Coordinates of all heavy atoms in Angstrom, one line a residue:
G65 N 9.3 -10.6 -16.1 CA 8.3 -11.8 -16.5 C 6.9 -11.2 -16.3 O 6.0 -11.5 -17.2
L66 N 6.6 -10.5 -15.3 CA 5.2 -10.0 -15.0 C 4.8 -9.0 -16.2 O 3.8 -8.9 -16.6 CB 5.2 -9.2 -13.8 CG 5.2 -10.1 -12.5 CD1 5.1 -9.2 -11.2 CD2 4.0 -11.1 -12.4
I67 N 5.8 -8.2 -16.6 CA 5.5 -7.2 -17.7 C 5.3 -8.0 -19.0 O 4.3 -7.7 -19.7 CB 6.8 -6.2 -17.8 CG1 6.7 -5.3 -16.6 CG2 6.6 -5.4 -19.1 CD1 8.0 -4.4 -16.5
E68 N 6.1 -8.9 -19.3 CA 5.9 -9.8 -20.6 C 4.5 -10.5 -20.5 O 3.8 -10.5 -21.5 CB 7.0 -10.7 -20.8 CG 8.3 -10.1 -21.2 CD 9.4 -10.9 -21.7 OE1 9.6 -12.0 -21.0 OE2 10.2 -10.7 -22.5
D69 N 4.2 -10.9 -19.3 CA 2.8 -11.6 -19.2 C 1.8 -10.5 -19.5 O 0.7 -10.8 -20.1 CB 2.6 -12.1 -17.8 CG 3.4 -13.5 -17.5 OD1 3.9 -13.9 -18.5 OD2 3.5 -13.8 -16.3
G70 N 2.0 -9.4 -18.9 CA 1.0 -8.3 -19.0 C 0.7 -7.8 -20.4 O -0.4 -7.6 -20.9
I71 N 1.7 -7.6 -21.2 CA 1.7 -7.2 -22.6 C 1.5 -8.3 -23.6 O 1.3 -8.2 -24.8 CB 2.9 -6.4 -23.0 CG1 4.1 -7.0 -22.9 CG2 2.9 -5.0 -22.2 CD1 5.4 -6.3 -23.5
E72 N 1.5 -9.6 -23.0 CA 1.2 -10.8 -23.7 C 2.1 -11.0 -25.0 O 1.7 -11.4 -26.1 CB -0.3 -10.9 -24.2 CG -1.2 -10.9 -23.0 CD -2.6 -11.1 -23.3 OE1 -3.0 -10.9 -24.5 OE2 -3.5 -11.3 -22.4
E73 N 3.3 -10.6 -24.7 CA 4.3 -10.8 -25.9 C 5.7 -10.7 -25.3 O 5.9 -10.2 -24.1 CB 4.2 -9.8 -26.9 CG 4.5 -8.4 -26.6 CD 4.4 -7.4 -27.8 OE1 3.2 -6.8 -28.1 OE2 5.4 -7.0 -28.4
Q74 N 6.7 -11.3 -26.0 CA 8.0 -11.3 -25.5 C 8.7 -10.0 -26.0 O 8.6 -9.5 -27.2 CB 8.8 -12.5 -26.0 CG 8.5 -13.7 -25.2 CD 9.6 -14.8 -25.3 OE1 9.9 -15.2 -26.4 NE2 10.2 -15.2 -24.2
L75 N 9.5 -9.4 -25.2 CA 10.2 -8.1 -25.5 C 11.3 -8.4 -26.5 O 11.9 -9.5 -26.3 CB 10.6 -7.5 -24.3 CG 9.6 -6.8 -23.3 CD1 10.1 -6.4 -22.1 CD2 9.0 -5.6 -24.1
E76 N 11.7 -7.5 -27.3 CA 12.8 -7.6 -28.1 C 14.1 -7.7 -27.2 O 14.1 -6.9 -26.2 CB 12.9 -6.5 -29.1 CG 11.8 -6.3 -30.0 CD 12.0 -7.4 -31.2 OE1 13.1 -7.8 -31.5 OE2 10.9 -8.0 -31.5
P77 N 15.1 -8.4 -27.5 CA 16.3 -8.4 -26.7 C 16.7 -6.9 -26.3 O 17.2 -6.7 -25.1 CB 17.3 -9.1 -27.5 CG 16.6 -10.0 -28.5 CD 15.3 -9.2 -28.7
R78 N 16.7 -6.0 -27.2 CA 17.2 -4.6 -26.9 C 16.2 -3.9 -25.9 O 16.8 -3.3 -25.0 CB 17.1 -3.8 -28.2 CG 18.0 -2.6 -28.4 CD 17.8 -1.9 -29.6 NE 16.5 -1.6 -29.9 CZ 15.9 -0.6 -30.5 NH1 16.8 0.5 -30.7 NH2 14.7 -0.4 -30.7
D79 N 15.0 -4.1 -26.1 CA 14.1 -3.6 -25.1 C 14.2 -4.2 -23.7 O 14.1 -3.6 -22.6 CB 12.5 -3.6 -25.5 CG 12.3 -2.9 -26.8 OD1 13.1 -1.8 -27.0 OD2 11.4 -3.1 -27.6
L80 N 14.4 -5.5 -23.7 CA 14.5 -6.2 -22.5 C 15.8 -5.8 -21.7 O 15.8 -5.6 -20.5 CB 14.7 -7.8 -22.7 CG 14.5 -8.7 -21.6 CD1 13.1 -8.5 -20.9 CD2 14.5 -10.1 -22.0
L81 N 16.8 -5.5 -22.5 CA 18.0 -5.0 -21.9 C 17.8 -3.6 -21.3 O 18.3 -3.4 -20.1 CB 19.1 -4.9 -23.0 CG 20.6 -5.1 -22.6 CD1 20.9 -6.5 -22.2 CD2 21.5 -4.8 -23.7
K82 N 17.1 -2.8 -21.9 CA 16.8 -1.4 -21.5 C 15.9 -1.5 -20.1 O 16.2 -0.8 -19.2 CB 16.1 -0.6 -22.5 CG 16.1 0.9 -22.3 CD 15.7 1.5 -23.6 CE 15.6 3.0 -23.5 NZ 16.3 3.7 -22.5
L83 N 15.0 -2.4 -20.2 CA 14.1 -2.6 -19.1 C 14.8 -3.1 -17.9 O 14.7 -2.6 -16.8 CB 13.0 -3.6 -19.4 CG 12.1 -4.1 -18.3 CD1 11.3 -2.9 -17.7 CD2 11.2 -5.1 -18.7
R84 N 15.8 -4.0 -18.1 CA 16.6 -4.6 -17.0 C 17.5 -3.5 -16.4 O 17.7 -3.6 -15.2 CB 17.5 -5.7 -17.5 CG 16.7 -7.1 -17.5 CD 17.5 -8.2 -18.1 NE 16.8 -9.5 -18.0 CZ 17.0 -10.4 -16.9 NH1 18.0 -10.2 -16.0 NH2 16.3 -11.4 -16.8
K85 N 18.0 -2.6 -17.3 CA 18.8 -1.5 -16.9 C 18.0 -0.6 -15.8 O 18.4 -0.4 -14.7 CB 19.3 -0.8 -17.9 CG 20.4 0.3 -17.5 CD 20.8 1.2 -18.5 CE 21.7 2.5 -17.9 NZ 22.0 3.4 -18.8
D86 N 16.8 -0.3 -16.3 CA 15.9 0.6 -15.5 C 15.5 -0.1 -14.2 O 15.5 0.4 -13.1 CB 14.5 0.9 -16.2 CG 14.7 1.9 -17.4 OD1 15.8 2.5 -17.3 OD2 13.8 2.1 -18.1
L87 N 15.4 -1.4 -14.3 CA 15.0 -2.2 -13.0 C 16.1 -2.3 -12.1 O 16.0 -2.3 -10.9 CB 14.5 -3.6 -13.4 CG 13.1 -3.7 -14.1 CD1 13.0 -5.2 -14.5 CD2 12.1 -3.3 -13.2
G88 N 17.4 -2.3 -12.6 CA 18.6 -2.3 -11.9 C 18.8 -1.0 -11.1 O 19.2 -1.2 -9.9
I89 N 18.5 0.2 -11.7 CA 18.6 1.4 -11.1 C 17.6 1.4 -9.9 O 17.8 1.8 -8.8 CB 18.4 2.6 -12.0 CG1 19.4 2.6 -13.1 CG2 18.3 3.9 -11.3 CD1 19.2 3.6 -14.2
L90 N 16.4 1.0 -10.2 CA 15.3 0.9 -9.2 C 15.7 0.1 -8.0 O 15.6 0.4 -6.8 CB 14.0 0.3 -9.9 CG 12.7 0.7 -9.3 CD1 12.5 2.1 -9.1 CD2 11.6 0.1 -10.1
F91 N 16.2 -1.2 -8.3 CA 16.7 -2.0 -7.3 C 17.7 -1.3 -6.4 O 17.5 -1.5 -5.1 CB 17.4 -3.3 -7.9 CG 17.8 -4.3 -7.0 CD1 17.0 -5.3 -6.5 CD2 19.2 -4.3 -6.5 CE1 17.5 -6.2 -5.6 CE2 19.5 -5.2 -5.6 CZ 18.7 -6.1 -5.1
H92 N 18.7 -0.7 -7.0 CA 19.7 -0.2 -6.0 C 19.2 1.0 -5.1 O 19.6 1.3 -4.1 CB 20.8 0.4 -6.9 CG 21.6 -0.8 -7.4 ND1 22.2 -1.7 -6.8 CD2 21.8 -1.1 -8.7 CE1 22.8 -2.7 -7.5 NE2 22.6 -2.3 -8.7
V93 N 18.2 1.7 -5.7 CA 17.6 2.8 -4.8 C 16.9 2.3 -3.6 O 16.9 2.7 -2.5 CB 16.7 3.7 -5.6 CG1 15.6 4.5 -4.8 CG2 17.4 4.6 -6.5
F94 N 16.1 1.0 -3.8 CA 15.4 0.5 -2.8 C 16.3 -0.3 -1.8 O 16.1 -0.5 -0.6 CB 14.4 -0.5 -3.2 CG 13.2 0.4 -3.7 CD1 13.0 0.6 -5.0 CD2 12.3 1.0 -2.8 CE1 11.8 1.2 -5.5 CE2 11.3 1.7 -3.2 CZ 11.0 1.8 -4.5
D95 N 17.5 -0.7 -2.2 CA 18.4 -1.5 -1.4 C 19.2 -0.5 -0.5 O 20.4 -0.3 -0.7 CB 19.4 -2.3 -2.3 CG 20.4 -3.1 -1.4 OD1 20.1 -3.3 -0.2 OD2 21.4 -3.4 -2.0
T96 N 18.5 0.1 0.4 CA 19.1 1.2 1.2 C 20.2 0.8 2.1 O 21.1 1.5 2.4 CB 18.0 2.0 2.1 OG1 17.3 1.0 2.8 CG2 17.2 2.8 1.2
D97 N 20.2 -0.5 2.6 CA 21.2 -1.0 3.6 C 22.3 -1.6 2.8 O 23.2 -2.2 3.4 CB 20.7 -1.8 4.7 CG 19.8 -3.0 4.1 OD1 19.8 -3.1 2.8 OD2 19.2 -3.8 4.8
K98 N 22.2 -1.6 1.5 CA 23.3 -2.2 0.7 C 23.6 -3.6 0.9 O 24.8 -4.0 0.9 CB 24.6 -1.3 0.7 CG 24.3 0.1 0.3 CD 24.4 0.1 -1.3 CE 23.8 1.4 -1.8 NZ 22.3 1.5 -1.9
N99 N 22.6 -4.5 1.2 CA 23.0 -5.9 1.5 C 22.7 -6.7 0.3 O 22.7 -8.0 0.3 CB 22.1 -6.3 2.8 CG 20.7 -6.4 2.4 OD1 20.3 -5.9 1.4 ND2 19.9 -7.1 3.3
G100 N 22.4 -6.0 -0.8 CA 22.1 -6.8 -2.2 C 20.8 -7.4 -2.3 O 20.6 -8.2 -3.1
E101 N 19.9 -7.0 -1.3 CA 18.5 -7.4 -1.2 C 17.5 -6.4 -1.1 O 17.9 -5.3 -0.6 CB 18.3 -8.5 -0.2 CG 19.1 -9.7 -0.4 CD 18.6 -10.9 0.3 OE1 18.0 -10.7 1.5 OE2 18.7 -12.1 -0.1
V102 N 16.3 -6.4 -1.7 CA 15.3 -5.5 -1.6 C 14.1 -6.1 -0.9 O 13.7 -7.2 -1.3 CB 14.9 -5.1 -3.1 CG1 13.5 -4.2 -2.9 CG2 15.9 -3.9 -3.5
D103 N 13.6 -5.3 0.1 CA 12.4 -5.8 0.8 C 11.3 -5.7 0.0 O 11.0 -4.6 -0.6 CB 12.4 -5.1 2.1 CG 11.1 -5.4 2.9 OD1 11.2 -6.5 3.6 OD2 10.1 -4.6 2.8
S104 N 10.4 -6.7 -0.1 CA 9.2 -6.8 -1.0 C 8.2 -5.7 -0.7 O 7.5 -5.2 -1.6 CB 8.6 -8.1 -1.2 OG 8.2 -8.6 0.0
W105 N 8.1 -5.5 0.6 CA 7.1 -4.5 1.0 C 7.5 -3.1 0.7 O 6.6 -2.3 0.1 CB 6.9 -4.6 2.6 CG 6.4 -5.9 3.0 CD1 7.1 -6.8 3.8 CD2 5.1 -6.4 2.8 NE1 6.3 -7.9 3.9 CE2 5.1 -7.7 3.4 CE3 3.9 -5.8 2.2 CZ2 3.8 -8.5 3.3 CZ3 2.8 -6.6 2.2 CH2 2.8 -8.0 2.8
E106 N 8.7 -2.7 0.9 CA 9.2 -1.3 0.6 C 9.1 -1.2 -0.8 O 8.7 -0.2 -1.4 CB 10.6 -1.2 1.1 CG 10.7 -1.0 2.5 CD 12.1 -0.4 3.0 OE1 13.1 -0.7 2.2 OE2 12.2 0.4 3.8
F107 N 9.5 -2.2 -1.6 CA 9.5 -2.1 -3.0 C 8.0 -1.9 -3.5 O 7.8 -1.0 -4.3 CB 10.0 -3.4 -3.6 CG 9.6 -3.6 -5.1 CD1 10.1 -2.8 -6.0 CD2 8.6 -4.5 -5.5 CE1 9.6 -3.0 -7.4 CE2 8.1 -4.7 -6.6 CZ 8.6 -3.9 -7.6
A108 N 7.2 -2.7 -3.0 CA 5.8 -2.6 -3.5 C 5.2 -1.3 -3.2 O 4.5 -0.6 -4.2 CB 4.9 -3.6 -2.8
A109 N 5.5 -0.6 -2.1 CA 4.9 0.7 -1.7 C 5.3 1.7 -2.8 O 4.6 2.5 -3.3 CB 5.4 1.1 -0.3
G110 N 6.7 1.7 -3.2 CA 7.1 2.6 -4.1 C 6.6 2.3 -5.6 O 6.4 3.2 -6.3
I111 N 6.6 1.0 -5.9 CA 6.2 0.6 -7.3 C 4.8 0.9 -7.6 O 4.4 1.1 -8.8 CB 6.6 -0.8 -7.6 CG1 7.1 -0.9 -9.1 CG2 5.5 -1.8 -7.3 CD1 8.5 -0.4 -9.1
F112 N 3.9 1.0 -6.5 CA 2.5 1.3 -6.9 C 2.4 2.7 -7.6 O 1.4 2.9 -8.3 CB 1.7 1.4 -5.6 CG 1.3 0.0 -5.1 CD1 1.6 -0.5 -4.0 CD2 0.5 -0.8 -6.0 CE1 1.2 -1.8 -3.6 CE2 0.1 -2.1 -5.7 CZ 0.4 -2.5 -4.4
L113 N 3.4 3.5 -7.4 CA 3.4 4.8 -8.1 C 3.3 4.6 -9.7 O 2.7 5.4 -10.4 CB 4.6 5.6 -7.8 CG 4.9 5.9 -6.4 CD1 6.2 6.8 -6.4 CD2 3.8 6.8 -5.8
L114 N 4.0 3.6 -10.2 CA 4.0 3.4 -11.6 C 2.9 2.7 -12.2 O 2.8 2.5 -13.4 CB 5.3 2.6 -11.9 CG 6.7 3.4 -11.5 CD1 7.8 2.5 -11.7 CD2 6.7 4.6 -12.3
L115 N 1.9 2.2 -11.4 CA 0.7 1.4 -11.9 C -0.3 2.4 -12.3 O -0.3 3.6 -12.0 CB 0.3 0.5 -10.8 CG 1.4 -0.6 -10.4 CD1 0.7 -1.5 -9.2 CD2 1.8 -1.4 -11.5
E116 N -1.3 1.9 -12.9 CA -2.4 2.7 -13.4 C -3.2 3.2 -12.3 O -3.4 2.6 -11.2 CB -3.2 1.9 -14.4 CG -4.2 2.6 -15.2 CD -3.7 3.9 -15.8 OE1 -3.7 4.9 -15.0 OE2 -3.3 3.9 -16.9
G117 N -3.9 4.3 -12.4 CA -4.9 4.8 -11.4 C -4.6 6.2 -10.8 O -3.4 6.6 -11.1
S118 N -5.5 6.6 -10.1 CA -5.3 8.0 -9.5 C -4.5 7.9 -8.3 O -4.2 6.8 -7.7 CB -6.7 8.7 -9.1 OG -7.1 7.9 -8.1
A119 N -4.0 9.1 -7.7 CA -3.2 9.0 -6.5 C -4.0 8.5 -5.4 O -3.4 7.6 -4.6 CB -2.9 10.5 -6.1
T120 N -5.3 8.6 -5.3 CA -6.1 8.1 -4.2 C -6.2 6.6 -4.3 O -6.0 5.9 -3.4 CB -7.5 8.7 -4.3 OG1 -7.5 10.2 -4.6 CG2 -8.3 8.4 -3.0
Q121 N -6.4 6.2 -5.6 CA -6.5 4.7 -5.7 C -5.2 4.1 -5.3 O -5.2 2.9 -4.7 CB -6.8 4.3 -7.2 CG -8.2 4.6 -7.7 CD -8.3 4.5 -9.2 OE1 -7.6 5.0 -9.9 NE2 -9.4 3.8 -9.6
K122 N -4.1 4.6 -5.7 CA -2.7 4.0 -5.4 C -2.4 4.0 -3.9 O -2.0 3.0 -3.4 CB -1.6 4.9 -6.1 CG -1.6 4.6 -7.5 CD -0.7 5.6 -8.3 CE -0.9 5.4 -9.8 NZ -0.2 6.4 -10.5
L123 N -2.8 5.1 -3.3 CA -2.6 5.1 -1.8 C -3.5 4.0 -1.1 O -3.0 3.4 -0.2 CB -3.1 6.4 -1.2 CG -1.9 7.6 -1.3 CD1 -2.5 9.0 -1.0 CD2 -0.8 7.3 -0.5
S124 N -4.7 3.9 -1.6 CA -5.6 3.0 -0.8 C -5.1 1.5 -1.2 O -5.2 0.7 -0.2 CB -7.0 3.2 -1.3 OG -7.2 2.8 -2.6
F125 N -4.5 1.3 -2.3 CA -4.1 -0.1 -2.6 C -2.8 -0.3 -1.7 O -2.7 -1.4 -1.2 CB -3.7 -0.1 -4.0 CG -4.0 -1.5 -4.7 CD1 -5.2 -1.8 -5.0 CD2 -2.9 -2.5 -4.7 CE1 -5.5 -3.1 -5.6 CE2 -3.1 -3.7 -5.3 CZ -4.4 -4.1 -5.6
A126 N -1.9 0.6 -1.6 CA -0.7 0.6 -0.8 C -1.2 0.2 0.8 O -0.5 -0.5 1.5 CB 0.1 1.7 -1.0
F127 N -2.2 1.0 1.2 CA -2.6 0.8 2.5 C -3.0 -0.6 2.7 O -2.8 -1.1 3.8 CB -3.8 1.8 2.9 CG -3.4 3.3 3.1 CD1 -4.4 4.2 2.8 CD2 -2.2 3.6 3.4 CE1 -4.1 5.5 3.1 CE2 -1.8 4.9 3.5 CZ -2.9 5.9 3.4
R128 N -3.7 -1.1 1.8 CA -4.2 -2.5 1.9 C -3.1 -3.4 2.0 O -3.2 -4.5 2.8 CB -5.1 -2.8 0.6 CG -6.3 -3.6 0.8 CD -7.0 -3.8 -0.4 NE -6.8 -5.2 -1.0 CZ -6.9 -5.5 -2.2 NH1 -7.3 -4.7 -3.1 NH2 -6.6 -6.7 -2.7
L129 N -2.1 -3.2 1.4 CA -0.9 -4.1 1.4 C -0.3 -4.1 2.8 O 0.1 -5.1 3.3 CB 0.1 -3.6 0.4 CG 1.3 -4.5 0.1 CD1 1.0 -5.8 -0.4 CD2 2.2 -3.8 -0.8
F130 N -0.3 -2.9 3.4 CA 0.3 -2.8 4.6 C -0.5 -3.3 5.8 O -0.1 -3.6 6.8 CB 0.9 -1.4 4.9 CG 2.2 -1.0 4.4 CD1 2.3 -1.0 3.1 CD2 3.2 -0.8 5.2 CE1 3.7 -0.7 2.5 CE2 4.4 -0.5 4.7 CZ 4.7 -0.4 3.4
D131 N -1.8 -3.3 5.5 CA -2.7 -3.6 6.5 C -3.1 -5.2 6.6 O -4.1 -5.6 6.1 CB -4.1 -2.9 6.3 CG -5.0 -3.0 7.5 OD1 -4.6 -3.6 8.5 OD2 -6.2 -2.6 7.3
Q132 N -2.1 -6.0 6.9 CA -2.2 -7.4 6.8 C -3.3 -8.0 7.6 O -4.0 -9.0 7.3 CB -0.8 -8.1 7.2 CG 0.3 -7.9 6.3 CD 0.0 -8.7 4.9 OE1 0.2 -9.9 5.0 NE2 -0.5 -8.0 4.0

Side-chain angles (χ1 to χ4, degrees):
L66 289 177
I67 288 169
E68 288 186 324
D69 287 350
I71 58 177
E72 296 182 352
E73 62 177 88
Q74 285 197 302
L75 290 167
E76 295 291 321
R78 200 179 53 136
D79 292 333
L80 195 56
L81 210 64
K82 198 163 177 26
L83 174 62
R84 280 176 170 263
K85 186 187 170 188
D86 284 349
L87 290 174
I89 296 175
L90 201 54
F91 179 88
H92 292 298
V93 164
F94 283 104
D95 180 19
T96 48
D97 54 5
K98 296 284 164 278
N99 68 348
E101 295 197 327
V102 163
D103 177 80
S104 60
W105 295 108
E106 284 196 324
F107 159 73
I111 216 68
F112 275 120
L113 299 183
L114 296 171
L115 300 176
E116 191 46 277
S118 67
T120 317
Q121 285 170 316
K122 287 170 188 169
L123 277 172
S124 63
F125 215 80
F127 285 159
R128 218 179 99 200
L129 185 67
F130 272 69
D131 187 13
Q132 286 293 280

